[in-house]
């Protein structure tokens, strides 16, 4: 992995797993409120509601205190955001920038969004994962109005890699270079985890796709995948099937009836036949929309971050993941995966065969758009 992506595993990190909004948002907001010098915040989704107000308020307060606060919002993902929240932050001194706004002369890049979720405080504390800034993620996944997700708080040398990923997009969007000890302080070991930060950008080769292919090709015993959008391309399906021929136990959790983009569920289901026939175990999460992004291979390698298993994430969007080659961390993620599996309904090859003719046609029709979903 280090040779392929030019980013080696960096020792000395502490990675804390945050489960659902009840844990995620208080931890992020606390880090913001304790900031002393800099806050770098990049997100795809920033919508409206109480959580959106809380973040705007916390970021504005720190800017008024003299902290350098840089906020990068994807233009498409933040379209539902209330403009007054941006005006509120800018009035307080927050630098708020829309990433790759759509104009007539940028239509060729309208598909290339930042899907990264990064928060870096004082260059020392980093967050990444799947959560967006919206009330849909608040709560504890107890009902359809409380989405299920994971996020990760990181301390240690790997945080500098998060900051570098943010700086890459910030200079593209603003022309401003982030540098110096405020953004890149000297970092010492904060824990026992060795971590590798992998970022993809649309102007580079697709490292996320290569990373997942490499992980699947290396699997010897088990693969666990949790993803809200599972629309694997032909190469990934081939790797999964080859792993099954090697006897690898493969289990995948995807959303059930509660999903924000129904065409994705249909397009995904169209592709399940060969996988289910080969013994891949696919389960649909039942309580609410499932938005976790997690890959675990052989109970020792784990990848978490913003990346989904679809063409949009693997070929179109800019993403950021953190990989850990760590048996203890993989064990904690397996426990999280198993809890989600217990709340999921297995989908069998018989279920797939028994779909109505109308369902099969609808699934096939949806799959024609899979390069864009």
């Amino acid at each position: 992995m280090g040779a392929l992506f030019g980013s080696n595993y960096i020792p000395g990190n502490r990675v804390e797993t945050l489960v659902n909004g009840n844990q995620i948002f208080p931890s992020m907001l606390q880090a913001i409120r304790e900031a002393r010098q800099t806050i770098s915040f990049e997100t795809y989704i920033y919508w409206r509601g109480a959580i959106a107000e809380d973040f705007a308020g916390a970021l504005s307060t720190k800017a008024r205190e003299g902290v350098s606060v840089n906020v990068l919002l994807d233009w498409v993902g933040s379209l539902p955001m209330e403009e007054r929240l941006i005006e509120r932050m800018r009035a307080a001194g927050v630098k708020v920038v829309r990433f790759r706004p759509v104009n007539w002369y940028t239509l060729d890049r309208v598909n290339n969004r930042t899907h990264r979720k990064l928060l870096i405080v004082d260059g020392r504390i980093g967050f990444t994962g799947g959560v967006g800034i919206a009330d849909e993620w608040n709560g504890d996944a107890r009902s359809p109005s409380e989405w299920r997700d994971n996020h990760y708080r990181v301390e240690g040398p790997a945080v500098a890699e998060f900051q570098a990923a943010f700086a890459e997009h910030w200079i593209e969007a603003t022309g401003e270079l982030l540098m110096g000890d405020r953004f890149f302080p000297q970092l010492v070991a904060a824990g026992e985890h060795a971590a590798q930060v992998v970022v993809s950008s649309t102007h580079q080769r697709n490292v996320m796709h290569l990373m997942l292919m490499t992980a699947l090709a290396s699997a010897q015993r088990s693969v666990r995948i949790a993803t809200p959008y599972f629309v694997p391309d032909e190469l990934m399906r081939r790797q999964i099937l080859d792993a099954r021929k090697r006897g690898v136990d493969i289990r995948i959790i995807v959303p059930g009836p509660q999903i924000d983009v129904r065409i994705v569920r249909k397009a995904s289901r169209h592709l399940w036949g060969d996988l289910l026939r080969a013994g891949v175990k696919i389960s649909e999460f039942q309580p609410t929309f499932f938005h976790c992004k997690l890959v675990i291979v052989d109970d020792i390698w784990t990848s978490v971050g913003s990346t989904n298993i679809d063409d949009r994430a693997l070929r179109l969007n800019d993403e950021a993941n953190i990989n850990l080659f760590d048996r203890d961390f993989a064990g904690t993620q397996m426990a999280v995966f198993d809890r989600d599996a217990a709340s999921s309904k297995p989908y069998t090859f018989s279920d797939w065969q028994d779909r109505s003719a109308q369902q099969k046609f609808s699934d096939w029709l949806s799959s024609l758009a899979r390069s864009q979903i």
Side-chain angles (χ1 to χ4, degrees):
M1 291 278 184
L4 285 172
F5 311 130
S7 57
N8 289 318
Y9 281 86
I10 305 168
N13 302 284
R14 179 176 183 267
V15 183
E16 178 185 0
T17 304
L18 304 170
V19 177
N20 295 329
N22 279 357
Q23 292 183 10
I24 295 167
F25 292 132
S27 183
M28 294 176 72
L29 288 167
Q30 180 182 356
I32 290 171
R33 289 165 182 149
E34 293 177 354
R36 294 293 178 263
Q37 297 194 72
T38 63
I39 297 172
S40 304
F41 184 36
E42 178 175 351
T43 188
Y44 177 70
I45 286 178
Y46 197 130
W47 292 343
R48 56 173 64 90
I51 290 299
E53 298 280 354
D54 289 346
F55 272 81
L59 293 165
S60 297
T61 296
K62 298 314 293 188
R64 283 193 294 268
E65 291 176 3
V67 173
S68 174
V69 183
N70 297 322
V71 175
L72 192 60
L73 307 174
D74 185 76
W75 187 88
V76 170
S78 64
L79 280 176
M81 184 180 185
E82 294 176 280
E83 194 64 28
R84 66 174 181 82
L85 292 177
I86 294 179
E87 294 171 358
R88 174 185 177 186
M89 288 190 282
R90 285 176 174 163
V94 179
K95 294 182 180 178
V96 184
V97 177
R98 282 323 220 311
F99 187 70
R100 293 178 185 160
V102 175
N103 298 292
W104 66 266
Y105 52 85
T106 62
L107 289 177
D108 61 325
R109 299 194 70 189
V110 68
N111 248 345
N112 302 137
R113 315 312 318 166
T114 177
H115 193 248
R116 299 175 186 174
K117 284 91 173 175
L118 296 171
L119 171 64
I120 306 100
V121 175
D122 292 334
R124 299 181 181 277
I125 299 172
F127 292 83
T128 192
V131 77
I133 308 304
D135 283 354
E136 282 82 350
W137 276 272
N138 208 0
D140 198 26
R142 294 162 296 196
S143 69
S145 63
E146 301 177 357
W147 290 0
R148 170 75 187 90
D149 215 336
N150 296 327
H151 222 63
Y152 299 85
R153 184 184 188 275
V154 182
E155 292 182 76
V159 176
E161 303 288 319
F162 285 177
Q163 188 76 282
F166 178 87
E168 172 201 18
H169 274 175
W170 189 254
I171 194 171
E172 176 186 335
T174 69
E176 179 185 358
L177 180 62
L178 304 181
M179 57 188 297
D181 292 344
R182 292 189 309 147
F183 294 99
F184 295 95
Q186 186 74 30
L187 296 175
V188 299
E192 301 298 322
H193 297 309
Q196 177 191 42
V197 175
V198 178
V199 296
S200 65
S201 298
T202 48
H203 59 274
Q204 299 172 347
R205 62 195 173 99
N206 201 307
V207 297
M208 288 302 179
H209 190 265
L210 181 59
M211 178 188 77
L212 290 170
M213 295 302 98
T214 304
L216 291 171
S218 303
Q220 298 300 313
R221 294 181 299 278
S222 65
V223 171
R224 300 290 182 268
I225 296 173
T227 180
Y229 310 115
F230 180 65
V231 192
D233 65 6
E234 183 181 352
L235 280 173
M236 180 167 286
R237 296 198 302 275
R238 190 187 310 160
Q239 289 292 348
I240 292 173
L241 292 172
D242 286 348
R244 279 298 304 141
K245 291 176 183 176
R246 298 194 301 272
V248 177
D249 178 33
I250 302 177
R251 305 187 184 200
I252 302 169
I253 301 176
V254 296
Q258 306 294 334
I259 189 168
D260 64 337
V261 185
R262 295 197 173 277
I263 189 175
V264 175
R265 187 179 183 219
K266 292 175 176 291
S268 175
R269 192 168 51 201
H270 174 73
L271 304 172
W272 292 359
D274 290 344
L275 305 180
L276 293 167
R277 187 188 294 113
V280 175
K281 299 178 179 67
I282 300 176
S283 297
E284 296 182 314
F285 192 76
Q286 297 298 303
T288 185
F289 177 38
F290 185 79
H291 199 256
C292 301
K293 307 162 198 304
L294 173 65
V295 179
I296 312 165
V297 175
D298 290 345
D299 299 341
I300 192 168
W301 183 88
T302 308
S303 187
V304 297
S306 66
T307 308
N308 297 312
I309 312 294
D310 61 10
D311 272 351
R312 177 154 296 280
L314 299 178
R315 301 188 189 281
L316 298 175
N317 288 341
D318 290 6
E319 306 281 359
N321 269 37
I322 184 168
N323 303 335
L324 292 97
F325 196 78
D326 186 293
R327 195 172 296 280
D328 289 340
F329 183 79
T332 65
Q333 302 314 297
M334 283 291 294
V336 172
F337 183 95
D338 289 344
R339 286 197 299 271
D340 288 332
S343 298
S344 302
K345 181 180 178 182
Y347 192 97
T348 67
F349 183 58
S350 295
D351 293 330
W352 189 82
Q353 286 182 307
D354 292 342
R355 291 171 300 155
S356 67
Q358 182 180 359
Q359 263 194 332
K360 290 177 180 177
F361 177 75
S362 178
D363 291 354
W364 169 79
L365 193 62
S366 298
S367 75
L368 298 180
R370 60 183 178 268
S371 66
Q372 296 296 313
I373 58 178

